[in-house]
């Protein structure tokens, strides 16, 4: 006898029990918002790096480069700090007008001037306004040499209350330093001039400093040296140039030798 085969029901497919994850839609950035963010980034780079910073930012944007978060934070904080200091100088600083260059110089140097003015007033200094658009803050201590110019604010321990030929010449000397601050700030940001000044001072100290020479040694109270410019400074710069050239030649030869070995191994 044969037994009939039982018909088995077809297996039913179990429902998919994986959790449902809703699809996240990427927000579409409007062209207007993109232009605003780009303009803000360019403006921040201009404040921190001058014309050089602006050119680098524009070139990077046109090439599609996206700045890192760290760079965005650093440039953003620097720009905001400069705006705050410039605002404080505009409020507490001198309100006297001037020519086109004096007005431009005051605006460009405003962040540095604001920081110096806040420091001087915080130390209890007396503030004096000069006719050439600069401000002198007389302190009892905390100054280098006869004083130091920061932007358009001169921190000094000299008596500048009485207008004498000596104080007038010193004021003109410091006004030329203010011009240097503004010119280099426009070119490469507010840190450009103090960096170049410190570098020059390392090799050409005191009366040998090229920025002091351009501002007038006698007006600044310096004695003109007989061997100006410094021979020692020139020899140091020549030695550094020779050292830098030797390093570049060595690196080039090293790359050439590595390239030759790679080509030989490939053959």
């Amino acid at each position: 006898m044969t037994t009939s085969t039982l018909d088995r029901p077809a297996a039913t497919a179990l429902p998919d029990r994986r959790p449902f994850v809703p699809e996240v839609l990427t927000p579409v950035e409007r062209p207007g918002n993109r232009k605003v963010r780009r303009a803000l980034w360019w403006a921040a780079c201009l404040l921190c790096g001058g014309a050089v910073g602006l050119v680098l930012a524009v070139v990077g944007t046109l090439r599609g480069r996206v700045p890192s978060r760290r760079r965005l934070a650093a440039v953003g904080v620097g720009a905001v700090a400069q705006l705050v200091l410039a605002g404080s100088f505009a409020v507490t600083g001198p309100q006297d007008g001037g020519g086109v260059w004096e007005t431009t110089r005051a605006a460009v140097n405003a962040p540095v001037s604001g920081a110096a003015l806040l420091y001087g007033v915080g130390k209890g200094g007396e503030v004096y306004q000069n006719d050439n658009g600069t401000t002198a803050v007389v302190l009892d201590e905390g100054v280098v040499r006869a004083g130091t110019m920061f932007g358009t604010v001169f921190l000094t321990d000299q008596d500048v209350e009485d207008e004498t030929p000596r104080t007038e010449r010193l004021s003109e000397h410091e006004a030329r330093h203010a011009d240097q601050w503004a010119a280099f700030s426009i070119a490469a940001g507010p840190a450009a001039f103090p960096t170049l000044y410190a570098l020059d001072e390392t090799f050409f100290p005191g009366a040998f400093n090229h920025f002091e020479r351009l501002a007038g040694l006698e007006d600044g109270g310096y004695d003109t040296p007989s061997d100006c410019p410094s021979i020692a400074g020139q020899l140091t710069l020549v030695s550094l140039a020779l050292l830098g050239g030797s390093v570049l030649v060595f690196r080039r030869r090293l790359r050439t030798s590595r390239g030759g070995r790679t080509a030989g191994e490939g053959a």
Side-chain angles (χ1 to χ4, degrees):
M1 297 179 60
T2 59
T3 58
S4 60
T5 303
L6 299 177
D7 296 333
R8 297 179 180 179
T12 58
L14 297 176
D16 190 1
R17 296 182 178 180
R18 289 179 298 178
F20 173 74
V21 179
E23 183 180 358
V24 179
L25 298 178
T26 304
V28 179
E29 186 178 4
R30 297 180 178 178
N33 295 338
R34 185 181 304 174
K35 291 181 180 180
V36 171
R37 293 178 59 182
R38 179 183 299 179
L40 290 176
W41 170 245
W42 289 355
C45 291
L46 176 63
L47 287 175
C48 295
V52 174
L54 177 61
V55 170
L56 293 177
V58 172
V59 172
T61 302
L62 295 179
R63 290 185 176 181
R65 297 177 181 176
V66 180
S68 62
R69 293 183 178 180
R70 182 177 299 179
R71 182 176 298 181
L72 285 172
V75 174
V77 170
V80 171
Q82 290 189 68
L83 291 176
V84 172
L85 292 173
S88 66
F89 180 73
V91 174
T92 61
Q95 303 297 326
D96 296 338
V100 176
W101 170 243
E102 290 185 358
T103 303
T104 304
R105 181 183 65 184
V108 172
N109 292 338
V112 179
S113 304
L117 188 61
L118 290 176
Y119 171 82
V121 173
K123 295 281 289 186
E126 298 181 3
V127 181
Y128 298 94
Q129 174 64 22
N130 299 319
D131 295 335
N132 54 18
T134 61
T135 303
V137 181
V138 180
L139 302 173
D140 295 331
E141 57 181 3
V143 297
V144 180
R145 298 175 183 170
T148 304
M149 174 64 78
F150 294 92
T152 55
V153 176
F154 181 47
L155 302 180
T156 181
D157 58 358
Q158 304 293 311
D159 184 11
V160 297
E161 183 177 2
D162 297 330
E163 293 185 0
T164 62
R166 173 71 186 92
T167 58
E168 291 179 359
R169 293 174 62 185
L170 179 61
S171 177
E172 292 301 321
H173 174 88
E174 298 303 328
R176 299 186 190 105
H177 281 318
D179 295 339
Q180 295 169 355
W181 268 99
F184 282 98
S185 296
I186 293 173
F193 174 70
T195 301
L196 293 175
Y197 185 96
L199 183 62
D200 198 304
E201 184 72 12
T202 302
F203 302 107
F204 303 95
F208 298 108
N209 188 296
H210 292 83
F211 295 103
E212 294 295 346
R213 293 171 59 196
L214 291 174
L217 292 178
E218 294 183 0
D219 293 341
Y222 293 93
D223 294 329
T224 303
S226 58
D227 60 340
C228 190
S230 172
I231 298 179
Q234 291 181 354
L235 293 176
T236 303
L237 288 181
V238 171
S239 301
L240 290 176
L242 292 175
L243 178 61
S246 301
V247 172
L248 292 177
V249 172
F250 175 77
R251 291 182 60 183
R252 185 174 181 179
R253 289 183 177 180
L254 183 61
R255 291 179 179 178
T256 303
S257 61
R258 289 179 178 178
R261 292 177 182 176
T262 304
E265 293 176 356

